[in-house]
Amino acid sequence: MTSSLMFRRFSCFHSPSSPSSVFSKKKPLVFLGSPQVSTVVLDALLNASSLADAAFEIAAIVTQPPSRRDRGRKLMPSPVAQYALDKGFSSDLILTPEKAGEDMFLSTLKVLEPELCITAAYGNILPTKFLNIPALGTVNIHPSLLPLYRGAAPVQRALQDGVKETGVSLAFTVRALDAGPIIASEKFEVNEHIKAPDLLALLFLEGSKLLIRELPSILDGSAEKKAQPQDESKATKAPKIAPDEAWLSFDQEAYVLHNKDGLEHELRLLLLMRKVVMTIS
């Protein structure tokens, strides 16, 4: 089913005047995430929303469209979409726009009337039109100690730099990348032998705990008042790892090569992608 068909189907069965939205006292929340590391956050939200005294419910899940993966190149849902389906979440409530600024997607989001949106490695830029919809704003789990390492590869860049300490931040989303006020953060010492995927998984696990702890204050509006603006003078960037960075040069310092070892998984993928491109061309 294409995303546009899904939007039409959803709009037909879920209108603002439907009984579920009229009589439910729980605040509707929309979750946005895509890779495997995002599923731990979704799981925490699903568990919390199922409690008898829960103040919110997950009205929809937004994720990347299905893509062709594995050897068979089959069209497969994102890890978050598959996880949600395995948990019994309705496929009608899993939205997969190509871009978060699509008119049909934004119309569907407005119908949901979300109080809050939560993002965890969603992988799409959120335009102002999106950010204006949730009444309580959008909150993001970012695996760094903001304002350090803003961008697509905070964990990878932190390991590349050989940092001794990193962490996870819970922050409101604004139009500028990872620049919103910080609600809360947790610090962690970095084991010099840890790999990027393991550290990423750890930070999102801790980020999910941080989110559940702070959700009451976010939902009652007090988090917005206590959130601290970021110090722009301390901001650093964490751009996506480029294919050229996959090569090791043994005229580099030993510590540089050691730090790249923490990115082993990402670098192997980049080298594989380069080989595929060279073969095709």
Side-chain angles (χ1 to χ4, degrees):
M1 182 184 295
T2 64
S3 59
S4 60
L5 284 175
M6 186 179 294
F7 293 152
R8 288 199 293 271
R9 184 175 175 187
F10 178 84
S11 297
C12 288
F13 286 98
H14 296 78
S15 66
S17 59
S18 64
S20 61
S21 60
V22 172
F23 297 110
S24 176
K25 294 181 180 180
K26 295 183 178 182
K27 294 183 177 181
L29 180 153
V30 171
F31 175 76
L32 299 90
S34 298
Q36 188 64 40
V37 290
S38 305
T39 62
V40 68
V41 182
L42 176 57
D43 183 69
L45 288 170
L46 288 171
N47 289 337
S49 67
S50 66
L51 299 176
D53 60 348
F56 71 94
E57 60 186 358
I58 300 180
I61 292 170
V62 184
T63 188
Q64 294 282 7
S67 60
R68 297 192 183 279
R69 299 197 301 274
D70 298 335
R71 291 184 177 181
R73 305 303 294 165
K74 294 181 179 179
L75 197 62
M76 300 176 65
S78 75
V80 159
Q82 188 59 61
Y83 188 84
L85 291 170
D86 292 344
K87 286 288 187 177
F89 202 83
S90 172
S91 61
D92 292 328
L93 304 180
I94 300 175
L95 311 180
T96 59
E98 292 287 345
K99 295 182 179 180
E102 292 178 8
D103 289 339
M104 187 172 292
F105 167 65
L106 293 176
S107 295
T108 303
L109 193 64
K110 288 178 181 177
V111 169
L112 290 168
E113 297 182 335
E115 288 284 325
L116 177 70
C117 289
I118 300 289
T119 60
Y122 170 45
N124 248 337
I125 295 175
L126 302 178
T128 301
K129 288 182 178 180
F130 175 100
L131 297 176
N132 288 340
I133 293 175
L136 294 172
T138 298
V139 171
N140 180 48
I141 295 176
H142 187 75
S144 82
L145 293 174
L146 291 171
L148 301 178
Y149 299 106
R150 294 176 178 175
V155 169
Q156 295 88 338
R157 295 299 179 185
L159 288 179
Q160 190 177 50
D161 290 345
V163 300
K164 303 299 181 184
E165 181 183 74
T166 187
V168 60
S169 301
L170 193 63
F172 283 105
T173 301
V174 295
R175 192 67 183 89
L177 183 63
D178 300 323
I182 300 171
I183 301 168
S185 62
E186 290 284 353
K187 295 180 180 180
F188 297 96
E189 291 185 8
V190 177
N191 183 317
E192 64 178 3
H193 299 298
I194 197 168
K195 306 295 185 183
D198 297 328
L199 180 56
L200 189 65
L202 171 64
L203 292 178
F204 271 102
L205 174 60
E206 296 303 323
S208 68
K209 297 176 184 177
L210 190 64
L211 172 65
I212 298 303
R213 189 188 81 193
E214 296 294 332
L215 256 181
S217 69
I218 297 172
L219 293 174
D220 69 19
S222 60
E224 185 176 10
K225 297 177 181 178
K226 75 172 184 178
Q228 297 296 309
Q230 295 187 35
D231 185 345
E232 291 295 324
S233 68
K234 296 181 180 178
T236 59
K237 296 181 179 180
K240 188 183 298 184
I241 302 293
D244 289 344
E245 297 179 78
W247 300 101
L248 296 178
S249 176
F250 289 96
D251 59 356
Q252 294 176 310
E253 296 288 342
Y255 78 91
V256 174
L257 299 177
H258 174 271
N259 293 343
K260 275 196 173 185
D261 181 58
L263 310 181
E264 178 183 0
H265 178 70
E266 286 82 357
L267 298 180
R268 282 183 178 178
L269 287 177
L270 288 169
L271 284 173
L272 179 60
M273 290 169 62
R274 170 171 282 194
K275 289 179 181 178
V276 170
V277 171
M278 292 175 65
T279 301
I280 293 175
S281 59

